[in-house]
Amino acid sequence: MGWLHPGDFPATLAAVGALAGIAPSHSIWRPQVRDRANTDITKRWSARRLLTHGSPAHDYLCRRRAIPDGVLKLASAAGLIREGPFGSAWFAHHNDHGKITGWEERGQAWRGFSSGGANTLFRFGNPKGTRLCVTEAAIDALSLSTLEGDRANSEAIRPLIPK
């Protein structure tokens, strides 16, 4: 037995195949064809229900992630959280003009981002605040709001409620 010398993956695959007495087959990668009728982010977001008390997504956020119901009500009233499939929660990402660009998807066994969406910012708080809190995920922004309470100077903390 000997060591394989570093090289590119196809050459290494061929060398290992030769040692095993088999020749690797070469498959050609083709991009996945997506249903373009289902890629409109705004329509897909709007088709989902706002987070409601007692739903599987609400239970996941309250019980498993320990985000208080009051914080979830404020974020839901601001239109920032929707219910995804299988008890997941969707957290809106918006651009500087307030247009939805995509959403984070979080659940007990799932973490992802909307297909076809652009990862911009989950904005939870006072847009005129003098303090900006950057978190890894929307759930972290909600958790920070829980820990710090109402901070009028923080964009990521004080939820806005549409009038």
Side-chain angles (χ1 to χ4, degrees), residues 4-18 24-27:
L4 290 175
H5 295 286
D8 65 5
F9 184 75
T12 303
L13 184 62
V16 171
S25 63
H26 298 285
S27 59

Side-chain angles (χ1 to χ4, degrees), residues 138-161:
I139 288 177
D140 299 333
L142 297 173
S143 296
L144 185 58
S145 177
T146 299
L147 293 172
E148 292 192 342
D150 187 19
R151 301 234 357 210
N153 69 335
S154 300
E155 181 173 355
I157 303 303
R158 187 167 174 251
L160 298 174
I161 300 176

Side-chain angles (χ1 to χ4, degrees), residues 4-5 8 23 26 28 41 45 57 62-64 88 96 116 118 145 157:
L4 290 175
H5 295 286
D8 65 5
H26 298 285
I28 299 172
I41 294 296
W45 173 260
C62 266
R63 293 195 173 121
R64 302 278 276 167
S88 65
D96 290 338
S145 177
I157 303 303

